Amino acid sequence: EKILSVDLSSNGCANPNYKIQLASGKAVMLRVYQRDPSAMHRESGIHQLIHNVLPVANIYHTDAACSIIPYPYAIMEYREGVL
């Protein structure tokens, strides 16, 4: 799908988060685990434990192999809100 825009979010405490606006009108969040690459596995595990109990963003894809960029990353549902 075509990407219309990529904006760095100012809400990330340790790792950069990018809001990606797609041509379909849908937005996703790209989270890049630069400071602590192992955090991706911890966050994914926590997500699996709580996703049926709390309203958390869906995780669409993770890459721990660093096959596209030199850091692990996750692509997840973008949800408006306050951190």
Side-chain angles (χ1 to χ4, degrees), residues 14-18 29-44 61-76:
N15 295 299
N17 296 295
Y18 299 89
M29 184 66 72
L30 168 64
R31 181 165 172 79
V32 181
Y33 295 89
Q34 289 180 333
R35 190 172 87 175
D36 182 5
S38 65
M40 186 188 73
H41 294 293
R42 285 193 305 275
E43 288 183 9
S44 294
H61 179 75
T62 60
D63 178 11
C66 305
S67 60
I68 297 176
I69 60 174
Y71 301 100
Y73 67 89
I75 298 173
M76 58 191 73

Side-chain angles (χ1 to χ4, degrees), residues 1-7 18-30 68 75:
E1 186 169 346
K2 185 176 179 180
I3 296 173
L4 296 181
S5 65
V6 178
D7 297 304
Y18 299 89
K19 179 182 178 185
I20 301 173
Q21 188 64 50
L22 303 174
S24 66
K26 181 179 179 179
V28 295
M29 184 66 72
L30 168 64
I68 297 176
I75 298 173

Side-chain angles (χ1 to χ4, degrees), residues 8-17 31 83:
L8 179 63
S9 173
S10 61
N11 294 330
C13 294
N15 295 299
N17 296 295
R31 181 165 172 79
L83 292 177

Side-chain angles (χ1 to χ4, degrees), residues 51-66:
H51 78 277
N52 288 325
V53 180
L54 297 172
V56 294
N58 292 319
I59 298 174
Y60 299 131
H61 179 75
T62 60
D63 178 11
C66 305

